[in-house]
Amino acid sequence: MKTKKRFKGPKLSLLFMLMFVIILAGCGNDEASPATGSSGTSGGQEASENMDTIAAIKERGKVIAGVKYDTRLFGLKDPISGNVEGFDIDMAKALAKKILGDETKVELKEVTSKTRTPLLQNGEIDIIIATMTITEDRMKEVDFSDVYFNAGQSLLVAKGSPITGIDSLNADTTVLAVKGSTSVTNIKEKAPDANVLEFENYQEAFTALKANKGDALTTDNSILLGMMQDDPNYEMVGDIFTDEPYGMAIRKGDQQMVDTVNEMLQEMKDSGEYDELYEKWLGTSPPSAE
């Protein structure tokens, strides 16, 4: 009968050493996994939050600003020329001039209410300048500049509509809004019986309103004003029913960037440049500070 071979001596020691190396390698991967595995978002986000945005801008030679492409008066892309224009766009140019000395050194990257915060956190943009309301929940994810525009939520309807304000909304009415905006939360609180239909952006929502897919469209009065200019068959009704202070959003913890933006805003107000931009896009002087 043949006897089974047994590992002994050097062979056995070699086997144990090999197993030990494999175990150590496995442990090493487990410890490194938070930076690359399912927890990788946390690691990547932390790296983005700790980034020196001013230094990154100066190194690449341009500011990358997240702006709206579908919001008349604030950020609207001309389908013919391809140019994006608006109040927020001019703010982005002013920031480029502040940091780099040249307002043309800015790259505009389209964002929506839903995508803007993730794009900022993962480092694809340096700043959000996109009609973004400052809220306590959002302040947990990003830092904000001082308020650069004050708006309030309202309703847009076709002229002749029986809807005259927030009190007209009920279970028989459908309100159109944009995903990721404070408008969705507000309208559900202010008119809990109304049906809310959400869209990806303002152009889609306004097109749906004109196609009679809803009875009213709700967002900030400043944005609705641009829609009224686009189509005079529509009008705002009722009083504003929220306060919507806009701020420029910056990665959490980047105080130098926050200070730079606030300094820019103050300089624009002191020089009168802010008033000029406000009148250029809104057609009126900004309200006096109380």
Side-chain angles (χ1 to χ4, degrees), residues 10-258:
K11 291 184 179 179
L12 186 60
S13 298
L14 182 61
L15 177 60
F16 282 136
M17 288 178 64
L18 181 60
M19 292 174 64
F20 185 67
V21 169
I22 292 173
I23 292 170
L24 282 180
C27 292
N29 286 339
D30 287 342
E31 292 175 359
S33 61
T36 56
S38 61
S39 301
T41 301
S42 175
Q45 181 175 326
E46 183 178 354
S48 293
E49 289 171 354
N50 293 332
M51 181 187 296
D52 184 340
T53 306
I54 299 292
I57 290 171
K58 289 181 177 179
E59 183 176 352
R60 86 166 77 92
K62 64 180 177 181
V63 174
I64 303 176
V67 299
K68 297 283 186 66
Y69 276 23
D70 66 339
T71 308
R72 184 177 291 278
L73 304 183
F74 286 86
L76 184 67
K77 184 174 183 178
D78 187 314
I80 298 176
S81 68
N83 295 330
V84 187
E85 297 180 333
F87 187 84
D88 285 347
I89 309 307
D90 284 350
M91 281 291 171
K93 292 178 180 178
L95 182 60
K97 185 177 180 180
K98 170 70 175 175
I99 298 174
L100 299 170
D102 186 344
E103 70 170 21
T104 67
K105 292 184 177 181
V106 59
E107 177 183 333
L108 304 175
K109 189 174 182 68
E110 182 180 14
V111 300
T112 66
S113 296
K114 185 172 69 173
T115 65
R116 55 194 174 189
T117 297
L119 288 175
L120 178 69
Q121 291 177 329
N122 68 22
E124 290 188 47
I125 56 178
D126 299 316
I127 189 168
I128 300 170
I129 313 177
T131 63
M132 190 171 184
T133 301
I134 301 171
T135 68
E136 290 187 7
D137 284 341
R138 287 173 176 169
M139 288 173 67
K140 297 173 184 176
E141 298 183 311
V142 301
D143 286 336
F144 281 101
S145 69
D146 293 337
V147 175
Y148 75 96
F149 193 93
N150 278 297
Q153 190 168 340
S154 187
L155 298 172
L156 185 74
V157 300
K159 288 184 175 178
S161 169
I163 295 175
T164 57
I166 191 75
D167 293 337
S168 300
L169 304 180
N170 53 48
D172 296 324
T173 54
T174 297
V175 184
L176 312 179
V178 172
K179 295 177 182 177
S181 66
T182 54
S183 303
V184 173
T185 303
N186 293 336
I187 199 66
K188 288 180 178 179
E189 291 178 352
K190 303 291 184 179
D193 294 332
N195 303 298
V196 179
L197 190 58
E198 299 178 45
F199 294 85
E200 293 296 330
N201 56 56
Y202 295 112
Q203 285 186 337
E204 288 184 10
F206 192 29
T207 298
L209 180 65
K210 291 189 281 189
N212 297 316
K213 293 183 179 180
D215 303 291
L217 191 158
T218 188
T219 187
D220 304 339
N221 57 347
S222 52
I223 298 173
L224 297 179
L225 178 61
M227 295 178 184
M228 289 170 55
Q229 292 185 6
D230 186 57
D231 190 333
N233 292 310
Y234 293 83
E235 63 182 353
M236 278 189 281
V237 293
D239 297 327
I240 60 172
F241 48 88
T242 66
D243 292 321
E244 305 293 332
Y246 294 168
M248 302 184 207
I250 296 150
R251 275 185 287 276
K252 197 73 178 169
D254 195 340
Q255 189 60 44
Q256 184 184 18
M257 185 65 167
V258 173

